[in-house]
Amino acid sequence: MPDPQVVIHVNGSPISVPAGSMLSTALLMASAPCRISSTGEPRTALCGMGICLECRAIVNGVPHTRTCQTVCQEGMRVETQP
Amino acid sequence: MPGFDLAIVGAGIVGCACALEAARAGLRVVIAERGVVGGGTTAAGMGHVVVMDDSPAQLALTAYSRSLWRTMAPELPAGVEYESRGTLWIAADDEEMAEVFSKQTTYARAGIASQVLDPRELAEAEPYLRSGLAGALLVPDDGVLYPPVAAEYFLSEARRLGVVLLSDHEVVRCGKGRVQFANGTSIEAERILLASGAHIDLLPSLPIQKRKGHLLITDRYPGVVSHQLVELGYLKSAHKLTADSVAFNIQPRLTGQLLIGSSRQYGDESREINHAILRSMLERAIEYMPYLKGLSGIRVWTGHRAATADKLPLIGPTADHTLFLAMGFEGLGITNAPGAAVLAIDALLNRASVIDAAPYLPSRIQQEAVHA
């Protein structure tokens, strides 16, 4: 039996990920940066444990959410943090 | 160690601006700093370059200094983060709106541009402010900068002109042409300029009181705030000489971060965060801008302002003819640094100043208080 999947929206596009995935993983799967630095560089999760803050993104409209500490939920919307 | 024309104590924004001004005048200058350049009182400032009209003398010095900042703005390195977004003095009610008009009249007389905004124009200028505000005064030429980097810039320009920096040098005594350091060494100089911010241990009799302040900086939220926002009630609370107070004061930084203040406390010399004051400061900010409640703050810190009783700095000679002061700037040290540097070096060289230097002379207070 296949693993259960959830559908989330990354920068407006739906993607299907295994239930229980971290949002940072989903962003990597979608090739989307988590955030853009103040000098314009795309950044993504580095430490994976909520310390480095490189994985911040806008989740359901809330800016600066740590995507490496957030589990994907059905229908969640995540956007790259400007 | 060779003799110097001028020894400056303290490499904060005022000391560094004085070093540059003195070097430009051809003086041989040494500047001593015990900690990090711009890391003391300078680092505790918000960096608001603002014309203030508490008194004619305060208006004259802030307007003069702001004009100097505006002149040098194009050559400031990017790291100084100088931006001229303008100040909005926000009126909560009709009483404060009356102050808006009176402030505009005062500024107009001094040649300072300003514009009255009605509630609709204010909401357009700053859509995240709460509704129901009475209006505001926009002072478009006010600015903001990052103070420690501005101090470093002045110092690097000064060093390019030959100024000697003694870092990690704590001064334990100064006066009578000699500066004595904690490491046992000393230097001689024709003149000494004390610019040690809120550190008044060298002249404990200086009529300066420390006023503690708290600041919070948020994560990056670009586009939420466009101007330096200050409640007009700030003027009322900032004038209280005894009680603790908080006021809505917020600045957008180039990074998109928001710097939120402000608090004033007497009699607390610690650097620790007072959570009751911090809470009331943030509640005040949220009252004006409810949206702030959902934002994430990433750092809180404190510092001390160096306040004088008449809210004017002490710039010029003391009874010890070798010892000069550039002290007591309270919340206007960043704004006033360039103007104060010109006045201080003018006094040192007996040059005439562009603005009347008399209101800032230390001799206006009891001379024995500033006798080393």
Side-chain angles (χ1 to χ4, degrees), chain B residues 67-97:
Chain B
S67 74
L68 296 177
W69 278 117
R70 289 179 63 77
T71 304
M72 72 178 111
E75 46 199 77
L76 293 172
V80 174
E81 297 184 4
Y82 181 88
E83 278 194 294
S84 181
R85 289 167 173 261
T87 304
L88 274 176
W89 292 95
I90 296 165
D93 52 32
D94 291 346
E95 188 193 346
E96 290 183 358
M97 204 55 203

Side-chain angles (χ1 to χ4, degrees), chain B residues 172-243:
Chain B
V172 290
R173 206 161 47 249
C174 66
K176 306 275 193 290
R178 175 172 289 273
V179 178
Q180 180 79 45
F181 299 107
N183 65 11
T185 63
S186 67
I187 52 170
E188 287 182 10
E190 290 284 313
R191 299 275 194 274
I192 299 161
L193 179 69
L194 190 57
S196 54
H199 304 293
I200 54 171
D201 310 3
L202 289 169
L203 282 181
S205 58
L206 274 180
I208 289 175
Q209 270 191 294
K210 295 186 192 180
R211 303 183 81 178
K212 185 174 177 176
H214 288 70
L215 289 174
L216 177 145
I217 194 151
T218 69
D219 215 323
R220 292 167 53 207
Y221 298 95
V224 173
V225 177
S226 303
H227 304 80
Q228 278 69 246
L229 305 181
V230 194
E231 63 163 295
L232 261 172
Y234 173 89
L235 298 170
K236 288 183 238 164
S237 57
H239 284 195
K240 284 184 205 155
L241 284 167
T242 49

Side-chain angles (χ1 to χ4, degrees), chain A residues 35-38 56 62-64 81-82, chain B residues 219-222 255 291 294-296 298:
Chain A
R35 69 183 198 98
I36 306 295
S37 79
S38 60
R56 284 171 288 159
V62 180
H64 299 296
Q81 171 84 49
Chain B
D219 215 323
R220 292 167 53 207
Y221 298 95
T255 52
Y291 181 78
L295 307 194
S296 101
I298 59 171

Side-chain angles (χ1 to χ4, degrees), chain B residues 278-312:
Chain B
L278 177 63
R279 168 176 281 271
S280 68
M281 180 181 102
L282 294 177
E283 280 171 351
R284 187 72 177 161
I286 289 163
E287 246 174 69
Y288 277 81
M289 191 171 272
Y291 181 78
L292 295 176
K293 199 166 188 169
L295 307 194
S296 101
I298 59 171
R299 199 165 75 249
V300 176
W301 67 99
T302 67
H304 289 91
R305 308 170 181 87
T308 60
D310 62 6
K311 312 203 152 294
L312 293 174

